[in-house]
Amino acid sequence: MMDRVSTRFAACAAQGRAALVTFVTAGDPDLATSAAILRALVASGADIVELGMPFTDPMADGAAIQLGNIRSLCSGTKLRDVLAMVADFRRSDDATPIILMGYFNPILAYGPSRFAADARAAGLDGTIVVDLPPEEAAELVPDLSAHGLHLIRLATPTTDSARLPRVLDGASGFLYYVAVAGVTGANAAAATDIADAVTRLKRSTDLPIAVGFGVRTPDQAAAIAAHADAVVVGSAIVDTIGAAAEARANDIPARVGALVADLAAAVRGARPTKEQAA
């Protein structure tokens, strides 16, 4: 299926590079600023954007993203506001894939069928539901499939060869490899471990492999981009938003854009060019 996600990964592969996936919490620190940040991410080189659904108990997330959730919730962000923000973004950008990432409770409260229909209408491309294991995905997959939305699955260092086929069953879009056992932003995995993991995963699936958790600097992003199909950066960007919000800065999108531009340059330069490889 050639949709926005497949098209973007194909374009990056044709350029001989990994994709840069950026994560921010929608509505952080408020909806108007968050909408401007979304545009800045793309203008600065993000290939795919993950928008976090603000949630009171983001159990897989470290301190940085937990604080991003709190800032968003305190500003009054609801799921319907996140969908409206995406719909507004689509008026000027119909190419950049946007993935909603979060937890199942807000979707369950909204109603899975209504969520899938409204997400598609808004212009979303898929979702990552951290606390929805494959064994319980039937509560959401039929609705997502009916509206052409990806359910992107997570694999971790503890996902062994017996478990991996279950994780991949019904997965689409890409496979998100959580490089460290723990919460977001806490630790960084060794580049050799990530290279080995990507090689192992690619033996079991043709889906692109995106690697995230613990990626904070351009050097770390480049090391992963040498092996993976995509690099996911979240906590470092959310930290930048948090520091600027605390300082009551009025240039938060520009600060985020500067960081993402450095990350994008590192990712784009991580592999040798055809001329260098020859």
Side-chain angles (χ1 to χ4, degrees):
M1 178 172 66
M2 289 299 290
D3 53 13
R4 291 189 193 96
V5 175
S6 303
T7 300
R8 183 55 55 95
F9 273 110
C12 291
Q15 296 170 20
R17 67 174 179 87
L20 175 63
V21 182
T22 57
F23 171 93
V24 294
T25 301
D28 177 23
D30 58 70
L31 278 167
T33 306
S34 188
I37 289 171
L38 174 57
R39 292 191 291 273
L41 293 171
V42 176
S44 302
D47 295 295
I48 298 172
V49 176
E50 290 179 359
L51 282 179
M53 292 179 281
F55 184 51
T56 53
D57 188 22
M59 66 186 77
D61 294 302
I65 296 177
Q66 288 181 21
L67 289 171
N69 278 269
I70 291 170
R71 288 190 295 271
S72 177
L73 291 169
C74 287
S75 73
T77 306
K78 307 293 185 187
L79 181 51
R80 64 175 179 273
D81 300 319
V82 178
L83 299 177
M85 186 173 77
V86 175
D88 183 65
F89 174 78
R90 281 283 173 247
R91 295 189 179 95
S92 59
D93 187 326
D94 194 39
T96 303
I98 300 182
I99 307 297
L100 211 55
M101 183 171 185
Y103 301 83
F104 191 49
N105 267 11
I107 296 173
L108 189 61
Y110 195 90
S113 178
R114 177 185 169 215
F115 166 78
D118 288 358
R120 183 65 180 182
L124 280 158
D125 298 287
T127 185
I128 302 169
V129 185
V130 177
D131 57 349
L132 189 69
E135 289 78 2
E136 299 176 19
E139 294 188 58
L140 184 59
V141 166
D143 293 313
L144 295 180
S145 298
H147 293 281
L149 295 166
H150 294 294
L151 178 62
I152 292 150
R153 294 272 174 75
L154 300 163
T156 73
T158 60
T159 304
D160 59 22
S161 57
R163 175 67 176 166
L164 186 58
R166 190 73 186 95
V167 171
L168 292 172
D169 184 22
S172 65
F174 60 89
L175 181 66
Y176 190 142
Y177 179 65
V178 176
V180 296
V183 297
T184 58
N187 300 298
T192 52
D193 292 342
I194 291 172
D196 291 345
V198 170
T199 299
R200 178 175 67 87
L201 294 169
K202 281 185 171 293
R203 285 198 292 264
S204 299
T205 182
D206 292 329
L207 289 174
I209 310 297
V211 177
F213 278 45
V215 187
R216 300 186 62 89
T217 69
D219 285 346
Q220 290 173 327
I224 293 173
H227 305 286
D229 298 299
V231 182
V232 186
V233 183
S235 293
I237 300 171
V238 176
D239 266 342
T240 298
I241 296 170
E246 186 174 356
R248 299 183 182 278
N250 58 10
D251 62 345
I252 298 177
R255 295 188 189 199
V256 170
L259 171 60
V260 172
D262 289 342
L263 293 165
V267 168
R268 283 162 172 74
R271 299 178 189 172
T273 63
K274 293 181 180 177
E275 291 75 15
Q276 291 170 330

